[in-house]
Amino acid sequence: MSDPTPAQPVPVPGRIMSGEMAEQPAVLRRLLEEGAPRIREVAERIAARNPRFVLLTARGTSDNAALYAKYLIEILLGKPAGLTSMSTTTAYGAEPDLTDVLVITVSQSGGSPDLVASTKAAREAGAVTLAVTNNPDSPLAEVSEFHIDVLAGPEKALPATKTYTAELLALYLFVEGLRGGDGNPAKVLPELAEQVLARRDEVRVLAGRYRFADRLVLTSRGYGYPTAKEAALKLMETSYIPALSFSGADLLHGPLAMVDNVSPVIAIVTEGKGGQALQPVLDRLRGRGADLVVIGNRESVEAASAGFVLPTEGVAEEVQPILEILPLQMLAYEVTIARGQDPDAPRALAKVTETH
């Protein structure tokens, strides 16, 4: 009688996402040590072309990274920047004049057909094209004039974590290169990221508040707004909780009406001008009795009912989003586990989304 087939190990839910979140300090360090010289070289070559303004093209998580770059470009460079609507080119066949315009396309895989098609069309329309991807051999990198590799290594979990923070850092270093900066404010990030990721027990306690949530509202202002949008996306794609993200200013223009004394709200309070601009919003939320959790500095967290204190004292405001998203990635993971689901395998999702 033959031996019975050995039992196969049971996959641990969330194992891949958890491992990739833990890789982020090493990814940030690698990008600073190995990627920065190449990014500076690309930035110097593009700066010599003196683009008139910047358009950013992306989908999903990368779209939130592109929004972060929009803030960097407008604030640090003083150049107009906008997010493109790809369908104007791919579906409607529009042919804008993009002479002397910088078009930056951000994509983890570099494989989505609409990203490739719109970037190719932009180059043909006279744009300077730059692809920011985690795949230097991708179709997107091939059709772009310039390419930046975010050096995140293979990402297997469907929810993007390490590629998002790598995109943020790569875009920051690129904008710094355009203006002749040294990128020194980013050098503290790997060590601080390790400190944040080591505090998973704190996040697990916060996650207990949202196990049975029907919806969540996330808000921020300035550099923190892309963080609110990315956190909402992570929560929706892993735990399936409807999560709405608003600029604090937009929240006051109507959506605040849906917030009551049982509404869970997560506010990302960046240390700096964005956080200062958010304070009147936090006051209104507290006045409505919202279940408010703050991700930010100690003062803001202590003024809320709960939160997560970020080690951002003395950290430049423009790089804080790279730290802000980390506890929110962990929160999405922990809420999903608490709800009995597997964050490694969200339903109906694929790693490369082939929109046209």
Side-chain angles (χ1 to χ4, degrees), residues 303-322:
S305 58
F308 186 99
V309 177
L310 288 167
T312 52
E313 185 176 352
V315 178
E317 183 176 1
E318 57 265 28
V319 299
Q320 289 180 36
I322 299 170

Side-chain angles (χ1 to χ4, degrees), residues 18 34 39 51 53 60 67 84 89 105 119 122 135 141 165 167 172 189 240 266 280 288 291 305 323 336-337 346 348:
S18 180
E34 301 175 20
I39 294 172
F53 59 89
L67 179 59
T84 65
T89 300
T105 307
T119 301
N135 183 1
T165 48
E167 286 174 348
Y172 169 74
L189 294 175
Y240 319 139
I266 299 174
R288 295 186 66 83
D291 176 9
S305 58
L323 299 175
T336 305
I337 294 293

Side-chain angles (χ1 to χ4, degrees), residues 11-24 154-162 200 333 337 342-346 351:
V12 178
R15 176 183 59 84
I16 302 173
M17 182 181 177
S18 180
E20 290 176 351
M21 286 192 296
E23 289 179 37
Q24 289 177 104
E155 188 172 58
K156 297 179 180 179
L158 287 175
T161 54
K162 64 178 182 174
R200 182 169 289 190
Y333 171 90
I337 294 293
D342 184 357
D344 284 342
K351 197 62 182 170

Side-chain angles (χ1 to χ4, degrees), residues 252-311:
L252 295 183
H253 282 264
L256 185 68
M258 71 178 174
V259 176
D260 55 25
N261 61 359
V262 295
S263 299
V265 179
I266 299 174
I268 297 94
V269 183
T270 306
E271 182 86 35
K273 293 180 179 178
Q276 293 165 15
L278 190 64
Q279 291 306 315
V281 181
L282 299 179
D283 292 340
R284 292 285 297 277
L285 289 168
R286 282 190 287 264
R288 295 186 66 83
D291 176 9
L292 180 63
V293 165
V294 165
I295 309 296
N297 60 47
R298 184 170 299 280
E299 181 181 358
S300 297
V301 171
E302 289 177 350
S305 58
F308 186 99
V309 177
L310 288 167

Side-chain angles (χ1 to χ4, degrees), residues 31 34-46 49 102-111 116 119 123 128-152 167 170-171 174:
L31 196 50
E34 301 175 20
R38 169 61 180 162
I39 294 172
R40 176 174 291 276
E41 177 190 340
V42 170
E44 288 173 350
R45 291 176 64 188
I46 291 177
R49 304 272 283 273
L102 173 59
V103 173
I104 303 173
T105 307
V106 189
S107 170
Q108 287 119 359
S109 69
V116 175
T119 301
R123 190 171 181 180
V128 179
T129 53
L130 167 66
V132 179
T133 81
N134 194 39
N135 183 1
D137 300 319
S138 64
L140 179 59
E142 184 178 343
V143 301
S144 301
E145 184 176 358
F146 297 97
H147 177 257
I148 288 174
D149 186 350
V150 303
L151 299 175
E167 286 174 348
L171 288 163
F174 172 69

